[in-house]
Amino acid sequence: MDKEKLLQLINEETTDADLIQNQFANMNAADIAEALEECEADQATYAFRLLSGDIAADVFSYISPDKQQFLVEELTDPEITDIMEDLHADDMADFIEDIPDDVARRVLDSISAEKGTLVDRLLDYPEDSAGSVMTTEIVELTKAMTVKDALHTIRTSGVDKETIYTCYVVDDERKLIGAVTADTLVQSDLKEMIINLTDTNIPTAHTDDDREEVALQFSKYDLLAMPVVNRYGQLAGIVTVDDILRVIVEEDTEDFNIMGGISPSDEPYLKTGVFAHVKNRIVWLTLMMLTAVITATIIATFEDSLAIIPVLYTFIPVLMGAGGNAGAQSATVIIRGMALGDIVIKDIARVVWRETRIALVCSLALGLVNFARIYFMHGGNYTLALIITLSLCATLLIAKTIGCILPLLAKKVRVDPAVMSAPLITTIVDCTALIVYFSIARIILGI
């Protein structure tokens, strides 16, 4: 309701600035940003200029990159400076990465040298690393401080920091010692030494760690923030839970795209052009089309068997479909298990044995149903029922084995396991199923 009311106020022909600002006061920054996304460009600029300085940066951080760029191009240099100085360095680095160089230069020229150094440092880290998603604006405490000193530090420097709920303690060389929570400080004697209250057994990440691995640590330890250290053990920054949520969304979106045979894209669906969508999909579609030639070649090779019993043709889609689905099931479960950290490469033997047993049970159940169906629907043709049933059982067993092994092998050679997903698994299983099918038919029929 608040968003709709704000949109109504912004879209009125005679907009009342006071009414809009009053509405801002009753809304969350994320909701304001969502409303501005739905406004026309000039209206969004007008409304954004009405935001007070303490919330403008928060709203800006929630706005999409293209709208952020438009606002920067419309705002004056002093307005840009006010926003960017209040914007956290990690949010600013994300913004800089998504805009043209000329716009980025204007933004960087508008901020202090100190903040520019922080942003440049974040931009230097690999895109998928913990360093790229961390913030350097944190409260640091030294081991020589008392509780009184720590509280004074938090009061004087914590205003512009990402979070003050957990503070990190370092030694004289800025090497991380541990963490102390704000509630511990508040409840402790003012003369107590910080080092005596510090929890030294805390999860940490390194700047070069994969951000997806860091996300798993957040889930494992129920964290709100995690300290990040450099190769010397010095505190470089922290990763916060809001950044990790974005990482999870981005990584899952990328995996879903790859598993669907689509090249990953950072742009939302409706903001991606038709030709960009075509570019993201055409490679996989072409690959699948070309691999279908292999299937056709296999069918042509066994054409003599099909000529003797033409009815064998009708069961090709059944076997290929069952095999493809079975392989995709196994691949999906294994890929997700690896993403969550439940399955690692050394588990390959256990995974194969488990999937083999699953395949045997599924084969038995589907085989019995399939045998009865074919036997009664094809005039008691025992031979045909046997061929199809044995082919189905063998196909399911092979499909589930392939479906569980390929993602693990991909991980072993440092390829995204999602690549070994439904389209690729289905293609491999289709070819295998046909070879198995026709080989069994030849053996049983003696041809």
Side-chain angles (χ1 to χ4, degrees):
M1 291 296 293
D2 287 338
K3 187 185 79 171
E4 283 71 19
K5 186 175 181 180
L6 176 61
L7 285 171
Q8 182 181 355
L9 290 172
I10 294 175
N11 291 329
E12 287 179 354
E13 292 185 6
T14 55
T15 54
D16 189 319
D18 290 335
L19 288 176
I20 293 176
Q21 288 176 322
N22 289 337
Q23 186 62 30
F24 282 155
N26 298 319
M27 294 179 65
N28 182 277
D31 293 327
I32 296 174
E34 187 176 355
L36 295 183
E37 290 280 359
E38 298 182 20
C39 294
E40 295 295 331
D42 56 342
Q43 294 173 323
T45 304
Y46 169 76
F48 186 81
R49 281 196 163 110
L50 296 177
L51 289 165
S52 58
D54 59 342
I55 196 174
D58 286 340
V59 172
F60 188 86
S61 68
Y62 285 108
I63 295 175
S64 62
D66 56 339
K67 186 77 78 172
Q68 286 178 330
Q69 180 182 336
F70 175 81
L71 287 173
V72 166
E73 291 172 344
E74 293 295 309
L75 298 175
T76 63
D77 288 342
E79 287 174 324
I80 294 174
T81 300
D82 290 340
I83 294 169
M84 295 303 156
E85 287 297 339
D86 288 334
L87 196 64
H88 290 300
D90 58 328
D91 291 327
M92 187 172 175
D94 290 339
F95 169 53
I96 294 294
E97 282 185 319
D98 293 324
I99 58 177
D101 291 342
D102 56 332
V103 182
R105 178 47 50 195
R106 184 187 175 202
V107 170
L108 291 172
D109 288 342
S110 71
I111 60 177
S112 64
E114 180 183 2
K115 185 144 194 176
T117 300
L118 292 178
V119 173
D120 287 339
R121 190 182 305 161
L122 292 174
L123 291 172
D124 284 338
Y125 291 111
E127 183 180 357
D128 293 330
S129 68
S132 69
V133 295
M134 72 180 183
T135 178
T136 54
E137 295 163 305
I138 55 177
V139 176
E140 284 186 26
L141 305 177
T142 65
K143 64 177 183 178
M145 286 183 175
T146 62
V147 170
K148 181 179 179 180
D149 297 331
L151 291 174
H152 176 72
T153 300
I154 293 172
R155 290 192 189 99
T156 55
S157 65
V159 176
D160 299 324
K161 307 305 181 184
E162 184 87 9
T163 177
I164 60 172
Y165 301 119
T166 302
C167 302
Y168 298 94
V169 182
V170 298
D171 63 15
D172 296 336
E173 297 178 348
R174 294 196 65 252
K175 291 185 178 180
L176 179 65
I177 298 175
V180 60
T181 60
D183 61 330
T184 298
L185 294 175
V186 171
Q187 298 178 58
S188 299
D189 188 283
L190 294 178
K191 296 180 181 180
E192 182 71 57
M193 298 299 295
I194 286 296
I195 192 64
N196 297 330
L197 305 173
T198 301
D199 180 5
T200 58
N201 186 27
I202 58 172
T204 60
H206 289 80
T207 51
D208 293 329
D209 285 351
D210 189 285
R211 63 180 192 171
E212 198 168 0
E213 295 298 325
V214 176
L216 290 176
Q217 296 299 306
F218 267 75
S219 175
K220 179 179 180 179
Y221 296 108
D222 293 328
L223 300 175
L224 293 177
M226 177 186 283
V228 182
V229 298
N230 60 23
R231 59 180 175 173
Y232 304 110
Q234 297 171 318
L235 182 62
I238 62 171
V239 178
T240 54
V241 68
D242 58 316
D243 295 318
I244 284 300
L245 287 174
R246 283 199 290 269
V247 168
I248 292 172
V249 170
E250 290 173 7
E251 293 291 342
D252 284 351
T253 301
E254 178 181 313
D255 286 347
F256 278 123
N257 282 337
I258 294 175
M259 291 174 71
I262 302 172
S263 299
S265 173
D266 293 330
E267 293 295 323
Y269 175 82
L270 292 177
K271 293 183 179 180
T272 303
V274 171
F275 287 104
H277 277 300
V278 171
K279 179 182 176 182
N280 292 336
R281 304 181 193 190
I282 195 66
V283 174
W284 277 98
L285 288 174
T286 303
L287 179 62
M288 295 303 105
M289 181 186 68
L290 293 176
T291 54
V293 175
I294 302 175
T295 304
T297 302
I298 294 172
I299 294 175
T301 302
F302 290 92
E303 193 171 3
D304 55 339
S305 302
L306 294 172
I308 296 174
I309 306 181
V311 73
L312 292 176
Y313 269 115
T314 62
F315 293 99
I316 290 177
V318 176
L319 293 173
M320 292 174 63
N325 290 334
Q329 281 182 339
S330 296
T332 300
V333 171
I334 301 307
I335 290 170
R336 190 56 182 164
M338 286 192 292
L340 295 175
D342 296 332
I343 300 172
V344 294
I345 297 173
K346 67 179 182 179
D347 295 325
I348 185 167
R350 294 174 60 195
V351 169
V352 172
W353 173 231
R354 186 174 296 270
E355 286 297 312
T356 299
R357 286 178 290 167
I358 293 172
L360 288 173
V361 175
C362 290
S363 298
L364 180 61
L366 293 179
L368 290 173
V369 173
N370 189 67
F371 185 91
R373 180 182 67 85
I374 296 174
Y375 183 81
F376 290 109
M377 292 182 64
H378 290 267
N381 192 332
Y382 174 85
T383 302
L384 179 62
L386 182 62
I387 291 172
I388 305 304
T389 300
L390 291 177
S391 300
L392 178 63
C393 292
T395 298
L396 291 177
L397 183 60
I398 294 171
K400 287 197 171 291
T401 303
I402 292 174
C404 70
I405 289 179
L406 285 185
L408 288 165
L409 292 180
K411 186 74 172 180
K412 180 70 174 178
V413 297
R414 301 184 183 279
V415 174
D416 190 339
V419 173
M420 304 300 179
S421 55
L424 184 58
I425 295 290
T426 300
T427 301
I428 296 173
V429 171
D430 284 350
C431 297
T432 306
L434 287 175
I435 294 174
V436 169
Y437 178 37
F438 294 133
S439 298
I440 289 175
R442 278 186 165 181
I443 293 172
I444 293 178
L445 296 173
I447 54 175

